[in-house]
């Protein structure tokens, strides 16, 4: 498993809350905040859903929705003319791990017509895939997609300090002073940036590999950190995002969907309810 099975029997239940203190109940009389359910349906973040509602693009049972509205399982919700199936029951979200190759963009639309990672994913009829973090055009490695916008926001938001680990290949070798500088902080054009961990992984000839860990996801941050020290990154691979490692057997351009136990375990880790946060990598 990519995520260690650390749940007890009670934690294996399908009802795993993402942000509330109590799990969502399947009772038809129970109502939930509209913007939260729209986000869980994979349409965007909660803030984006609030803006969508405020713009008048959302309706409930044929009437224009307002901020603060609540809906239940029997309500018909539309965004513009599209009917949205809201997750008011205990159904787990879908989560996909994708091994992004170099030469693909993490966007649905590109003016240059470059290949998109979304072209490789299975099609959804009633929701959409939300990318958890991004990788630039020339970076490969782990991408995570989910149908749950709340989960995506929980893993991406800077205040949660979710780790991203990368394998970095550079020409040359870091000096002790450069290592110290990367760990202490380097001033970039958008503020101070630093690594939380740095380890040398060997190499051949002039090339050296390092594994680095950050707790934020600014645009091209790893490359810019090394460039600020006069070093060029010739290869960059994301090997871990939070508690999920890039599966060794997952080839570039291929995806793997987490099963129910893996999904429940991940949600428990995100909520801080799992008995252990230790991650097990598949070694074969």
């Amino acid at each position: 498993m990519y995520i260690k099975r650390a749940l007890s029997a009670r934690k294996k239940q399908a009802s795993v809350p993402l942000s509330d203190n109590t799990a969502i109940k399947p009772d038809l009389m129970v109502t939930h905040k509209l913007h939260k359910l729209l986000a869980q349906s994979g349409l965007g973040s909660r803030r984006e859903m609030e803006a969508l509602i405020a713009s008048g693009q959302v309706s409930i049972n044929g009437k224009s929705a307002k901020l603060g509205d609540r809906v239940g399982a029997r309500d018909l919700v539309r965004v513009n003319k599209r009917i949205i199936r809201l997750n008011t029951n205990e159904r787990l979200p879908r989560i996909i791990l994708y091994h992004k190759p170099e030469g693909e963009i993490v966007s649905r639309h590109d003016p240059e017509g470059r290949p998109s990672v979304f072209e490789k994913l299975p099609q959804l009829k009633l929701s959409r895939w939300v990318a958890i973090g991004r990788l630039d055009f020339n970076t490969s490695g782990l991408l995570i997609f989910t149908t749950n916008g709340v989960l995506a926001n929980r893993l991406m938001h800077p205040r949660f300090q979710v780790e991203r680990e990368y394998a970095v290949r550079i020409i040359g070798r870091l000096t002790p002073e450069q290592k110290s500088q990367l760990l202490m902080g380097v001033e970039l054009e958008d503020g101070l940036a630093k690594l939380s961990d740095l380890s040398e992984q060997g190499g051949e000839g002039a090339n050296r590999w390092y594994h680095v860990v950050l707790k934020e996801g600014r645009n091209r941050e790893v490359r810019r950190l090394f460039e600020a020290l006069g070093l060029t990154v010739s290869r960059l691979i994301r090997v871990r995002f939070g508690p999920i490692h890039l599966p060794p057997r997952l080839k570039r351009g291929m995806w793997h969907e987490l099963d129910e136990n893996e999904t429940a375990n991940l949600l428990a880790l995100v909520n801080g309810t799992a008995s252990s946060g230790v991650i097990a990598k598949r070694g074969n």
Side-chain angles (χ1 to χ4, degrees), residues 5-274:
R5 297 181 187 277
L7 300 179
S8 63
R10 67 180 179 82
K11 291 169 185 168
K12 290 181 180 177
Q13 297 175 353
S15 177
V16 183
L18 291 180
S19 58
D20 295 340
N21 293 326
T22 56
I24 296 175
K25 299 179 181 179
D27 191 334
L28 293 177
M29 300 302 293
V30 174
T31 61
H32 309 275
K33 293 179 181 179
L34 175 60
H35 73 283
K36 175 183 175 182
L37 291 185
L38 288 174
Q40 289 179 345
S41 296
L43 297 178
S45 68
R46 293 193 190 187
R47 183 171 298 178
E48 289 171 335
M49 294 305 97
E50 289 176 340
L52 195 69
I53 294 168
S55 69
Q57 299 180 62
V58 184
S59 66
I60 305 172
N61 302 323
K63 297 182 179 180
S64 182
K66 304 183 299 296
L67 291 175
D69 278 350
R70 302 178 68 88
V71 292
R74 293 177 176 173
D75 290 312
L76 179 64
V77 176
R78 294 178 186 264
V79 174
N80 296 318
K81 295 183 179 180
R82 176 185 170 193
I83 297 176
I84 305 300
R85 178 177 292 179
L86 299 175
N87 183 17
T88 58
N89 55 30
E90 297 177 351
R91 186 177 65 240
L92 290 170
R94 294 179 65 181
I95 301 171
I96 275 182
L97 312 184
Y98 177 64
H99 189 164
K100 176 191 175 299
E102 297 174 357
E104 291 182 355
I105 61 168
V106 188
S107 175
R108 288 181 171 83
H109 307 288
D110 179 43
E112 301 178 31
R114 294 172 295 180
S116 167
V117 295
F118 290 97
E119 297 169 1
K120 301 286 187 69
L121 305 182
Q123 297 297 309
L124 298 175
K125 292 183 178 180
L126 299 172
S127 58
R128 71 169 186 169
W129 294 114
V130 178
I132 299 177
R134 304 171 79 85
L135 292 175
D136 66 42
F137 188 70
N138 295 317
T139 299
S140 61
L142 176 65
L143 272 176
I144 307 170
F145 296 89
T146 181
T147 55
N148 192 299
V150 176
L151 172 62
N153 183 68
R154 174 62 177 77
L155 288 171
M156 288 189 294
H157 200 285
R159 74 185 178 94
F160 293 113
Q161 296 282 285
V162 176
E163 291 185 341
R164 288 93 158 151
E165 183 175 351
Y166 295 84
V168 186
R169 187 181 71 186
I170 65 172
I171 298 175
R173 175 177 288 173
L174 291 172
T175 65
E177 293 76 16
Q178 288 172 325
K179 290 180 181 179
S180 177
Q181 199 170 353
L182 288 168
L183 293 168
M184 293 296 293
V186 177
E187 193 66 41
L188 303 177
E189 60 268 23
D190 53 353
L192 187 71
K194 64 179 180 179
L195 305 177
S196 60
D197 191 45
L198 169 64
S199 61
E200 187 166 352
Q201 301 294 314
E204 295 181 357
N207 293 310
R208 283 291 180 272
W209 282 96
Y210 295 87
H211 272 211
V212 304
V213 177
L214 302 90
K215 294 184 177 180
E216 57 184 0
R218 283 190 256 170
N219 184 43
R220 299 184 70 255
E221 188 169 4
V222 175
R223 293 182 188 275
R224 291 191 293 133
L225 273 168
F226 280 83
E227 287 169 0
L229 301 184
L231 300 165
T232 300
V233 173
S234 58
R235 191 86 185 274
L236 184 60
I237 308 168
R238 182 155 67 199
V239 296
R240 179 172 65 88
F241 193 111
I244 300 179
H245 290 262
L246 178 65
R249 284 190 171 183
L250 190 62
K251 296 181 179 179
R252 285 181 294 179
M254 304 298 290
W255 57 267
H256 165 76
E257 183 163 0
L258 299 189
D259 62 28
E260 289 189 2
N261 286 334
E262 291 171 318
T263 299
N265 197 1
L266 174 61
L267 296 180
L269 288 172
V270 168
N271 286 312
T273 58

